[in-house]
Amino acid sequence: GAFGSDDITIALGSTAFLMGVDIKRHRYKTLGSLWTVDDSLDELTRLCETAGLEVRGCDYQTMQHPNPSTFIGPGKLDELRERVQHLRVETVVFDDELTPAQGRNVQERIGGSVRVIDRTMLILQIFAQRARTREAKLQVRAARMRYMLPRLTTFMTTGAGMDAKGGSAGGGGSGGGGGGRG
């Protein structure tokens, strides 16, 4: 399915490729300045291992600010697609939180059945794997729903063939335009 339109479940043993961004402009940084992009990707690798993912590689791009459409630049996105295909990776994990549109755009450009998730989705997956009591499972479910809500809203208004006002993009009648990606 589209980025964020389905529940977050990653099969143990799935293969992953990590993608980070070294942002030079302070106002766009999401982590403290004491962390380097390498430190952050090292931690992300450990998080992936905790979630049962096999990390097959990682990369990052240095830039002034994130691309509003795909977070990384178009050239780096092409490189990412080639590496993911070459390494037969099932999941791309971004070190930074992606907007619903960024995640969906990256997923479409990479193509195939490759999942695109971000650090937050990965952490929620780890919590879900570790939850044992009924209360813990409900707390994880509530956290996932809070995280998914804006992504589902975006999916329902733009990702499923709907325009920003919520109307049908394909005109009237039966059938329809888009959204049948499961």
Side-chain angles (χ1 to χ4, degrees):
F3 175 83
S5 68
D6 50 2
D7 200 8
I8 309 160
T9 305
I10 303 165
L12 292 175
S14 292
T15 55
F17 189 90
L18 313 184
M19 188 69 221
V21 172
D22 185 12
I23 299 171
K24 292 300 180 190
R25 292 192 50 198
H26 185 70
R27 73 181 214 158
Y28 292 104
K29 288 189 179 206
T30 56
L31 295 171
S33 58
L34 298 177
W35 276 63
T36 67
V37 69
D38 290 322
D39 292 335
S40 191
L41 287 171
D42 285 347
E43 181 187 55
L44 190 63
T45 298
R46 290 189 298 276
L47 287 169
C48 286
E49 290 167 353
T50 299
L53 292 171
E54 175 196 331
V55 176
R56 290 198 173 166
C58 69
D59 197 7
Y60 70 90
Q61 181 174 25
T62 301
M63 53 198 322
Q64 292 298 315
H65 53 82
N67 182 313
S69 175
T70 57
F71 202 77
I72 57 176
K76 184 57 78 173
L77 187 54
D78 289 342
E79 282 180 37
L80 177 61
R81 183 182 62 243
E82 290 172 16
R83 291 185 73 182
V84 161
Q85 290 171 351
H86 175 74
L87 296 170
R88 293 204 276 247
V89 168
E90 298 163 295
T91 305
V92 173
V93 184
F94 273 77
D95 195 23
D96 298 87
E97 190 164 319
L98 301 177
T99 66
Q102 287 168 336
R104 187 178 60 252
N105 291 338
V106 169
Q107 193 155 5
E108 287 172 0
R109 298 253 181 95
I110 290 175
S113 61
V114 176
R115 293 184 67 129
V116 175
I117 65 171
D118 59 24
R119 177 183 278 261
T120 303
M121 292 171 87
L122 178 64
I123 291 169
L124 288 171
Q125 171 70 20
I126 293 168
F127 285 155
Q129 290 172 347
R130 301 279 189 263
R132 294 291 172 250
T133 67
R134 184 173 184 274
E135 181 182 7
K137 289 176 183 177
L138 287 172
Q139 287 174 339
V140 169
R141 187 169 172 86
R144 284 175 134 174
M145 288 178 169
R146 279 192 298 273
Y147 179 78
M148 297 302 288
L149 184 61
R151 284 146 184 83
L152 291 171
T153 302
T154 299
F155 176 72
M156 293 307 296
T157 57
T158 59
M162 307 294 266
D163 67 18
K165 294 183 179 114
S168 173
S174 62
R181 293 180 54 186

